Amino acid sequence: MRKVLPALTAAVLLAATGCAGSDAGSSGPIVVGSVNALSGAATFPESSQAAKAVFDAANAAGGVNGRRIDYKAIDDKGDPSAAAAAAREVVGGDSAVALVGSSSLIECEINEKYYEQQKILSMPGIGVDPACFSSANIAPVNVGPFHDMTLTLLYGTEVLKLDDVCALLEIAGNTLPAYQAAIGEWTKITGKKLKYVDSTVPYGGSDYTPYIVKARAAGCKAITVNPVEPDSIGQLKAAQAQGWTDVTWLLLTSVYSENYAKAISNAGAGVYVPAEFYPFTDATAPANQEWRDLMTKNKIPLTSFSQGGYLAAKYFLAVLREMKGDITRETVTKALREMKPISDPMVGTPYVFGPAQAHHDNTAGWPIKLATGTNKWELSARDWLRIPKP
């Protein structure tokens, strides 16, 4: 990921050269797009698959005022140039009225200016990079990694009562200030500071032993990390190899999967994660029942990513069905700007697009735990954990 990010500037400049004014208004299909990492080093296919399943079900039930949704999920391959081209294909070429259910490591930063220029709004299922949460035209349905970090620190220090908490940060592109702000928010709320911070930890490292040795020597009793699954597995194995088995891991939703649980036999003093949506591993939860049934019917993996895509499409349809008159990019943008907040039991914070210049309003996670020797995620709370309002 580090290798592709220097090309962001060029791609953003390309974005500024696009043309504005496309419109999908007619009695024909309503074109809705998304830009996703469907191939490449890190892929997130479930979000757009879930959104498509929601739209397919709506079409089967008669569409929206008799018009079917024509959903187009374009692959950005994790590449800046491909991300810029994907946005132009669906926004300029296909005249989409909005983007719904996108999921990409880089797409927001690449295309935010283009979306502003084209006067089109995007509701990602999973927002990742900082631009997803700082643009007037992009409003993800998920919590995002930065609020995730504040939540996991709050749970560790205020609920688990952990002291001597440290951070190992994996930084890609311009994400360091956003993670520093997330840690700063925790400090502002609690008055506490981290014992040790290392922001040089690489993504995809071959050996995390040096970082683990330094953290242990610094006296860390708990560590917050923002890893992808393979990195976290490597870090926990490095700690185990050092005989460091009494450390608590305060991680992010990025490791919340059944495959990760199966791969972790020694979780130290426990792996804690704030699930961004109601925990999907709770198979009997009424909150997830409709999502679970639809994903199972369409053979889509039960993951947080598919929860995000499902909710993005569900919110979007709710707004469309309240609209009067023609459905065009202009009228959809107006409707999303003026929509009322929508509550859903799958999330702890109501969703609204609205007129704000930035959208980072989902501030609730459900604490879950992975204990040594269990290979299963367990609920660690009976309610949502929320970041206190200032």
Side-chain angles (χ1 to χ4, degrees):
M1 187 158 54
R2 287 176 179 276
K3 294 180 180 178
V4 302
L5 288 172
L8 292 183
T9 302
V12 170
L13 290 174
L14 282 172
T17 64
C19 299
S22 60
D23 195 317
S26 73
S27 58
I30 301 166
V31 179
V32 178
S34 66
V35 178
N36 313 272
L38 302 179
S39 62
T43 62
F44 309 98
E46 301 104 304
S47 181
S48 56
Q49 289 173 352
K52 182 178 184 302
V54 173
F55 292 138
D56 286 347
N59 289 337
V64 178
N65 297 330
R67 296 178 63 182
R68 62 183 297 275
I69 302 289
D70 184 5
Y71 186 60
K72 297 179 181 297
I74 312 299
D75 185 9
D76 72 12
K77 305 175 184 177
D79 175 78
S81 296
R88 279 148 189 75
E89 178 180 340
V90 72
V91 176
D94 296 326
S95 299
V97 300
L99 296 109
V100 177
S102 297
S103 182
S104 164
L105 285 175
I106 59 172
E107 192 267 328
C108 293
E109 183 171 0
I110 295 298
N111 292 320
E112 62 169 329
K113 298 298 182 186
Y114 180 66
Y115 296 157
E116 290 177 12
Q117 184 186 53
Q118 297 296 316
K119 297 181 172 58
I120 191 169
L121 304 187
S122 175
M123 301 169 58
I126 302 294
V128 181
D129 69 71
C132 296
F133 305 95
S134 61
S135 167
N137 286 50
I138 303 173
V141 305
N142 66 317
V143 174
F146 313 112
H147 278 340
D148 232 16
M149 178 148 286
T150 303
L151 284 166
T152 200
L153 285 169
L154 285 174
Y155 191 77
T157 60
E158 307 312 296
V159 179
L160 299 178
K161 305 298 183 183
L162 298 170
D163 295 320
D164 299 327
V165 180
C166 304
L168 300 181
L169 300 178
E170 300 185 355
I171 300 303
N174 64 346
T175 57
L176 179 58
Y179 282 115
Q180 289 174 327
I183 294 169
E185 187 172 18
W186 163 75
T187 294
K188 185 177 180 180
I189 295 168
T190 64
K192 300 174 182 176
K193 293 185 178 180
L194 295 175
K195 187 178 185 66
Y196 168 79
V197 178
D198 185 346
S199 59
T200 68
V201 182
Y203 278 104
S206 58
D207 182 7
Y208 287 103
T209 300
Y211 305 95
I212 295 298
V213 168
K214 286 190 288 186
R216 188 181 190 186
C220 305
K221 295 179 180 176
I223 298 179
T224 187
V225 198
N226 59 326
V228 292
E229 288 183 18
D231 294 359
S232 178
I233 292 170
Q235 290 154 14
L236 265 67
K237 288 184 176 178
Q240 183 182 1
Q242 294 298 313
W244 196 18
T245 58
D246 59 350
V247 60
T248 301
W249 300 89
L250 304 172
L251 306 184
L252 309 186
T253 296
S254 52
V255 302
Y256 178 33
S257 77
E258 292 184 336
N259 286 335
Y260 178 85
K262 291 177 182 176
I264 298 298
S265 57
N266 190 327
V271 172
Y272 291 85
V273 170
E276 294 192 5
F277 307 103
Y278 186 85
F280 66 85
T281 45
D282 184 0
T284 62
N288 284 337
Q289 193 60 56
E290 289 186 10
W291 161 78
R292 180 177 289 274
D293 290 346
L294 185 63
M295 297 303 104
T296 302
K297 178 182 178 182
N298 288 276
K299 299 180 180 179
I300 298 170
L302 302 176
T303 66
S304 295
F305 299 126
S306 63
Q307 287 179 300
Y310 167 85
L311 283 172
K314 187 176 175 180
Y315 294 151
F316 183 71
L317 278 178
V319 173
L320 244 56
R321 286 173 171 149
E322 291 293 319
M323 290 177 61
K324 308 297 181 185
D326 202 4
I327 296 175
T328 68
R329 182 180 303 174
E330 182 179 8
T331 61
V332 168
T333 296
K334 183 174 185 296
L336 288 171
R337 293 290 192 200
E338 297 176 351
M339 69 177 283
K340 295 180 180 178
I342 300 175
S343 296
D344 191 287
M346 288 178 68
V347 289
T349 308
Y351 178 84
V352 63
F353 206 115
Q357 293 302 300
H359 304 278
H360 205 177
D361 301 327
N362 192 337
T363 57
W366 195 292
I368 53 175
K369 175 185 178 182
L370 176 62
T372 292
T374 63
N375 297 111
K376 290 183 179 179
W377 293 101
E378 303 172 355
L379 299 185
S380 190
R382 294 183 177 180
D383 199 359
W384 297 95
L385 175 68
R386 293 179 172 84
I387 299 174
K389 293 182 179 179

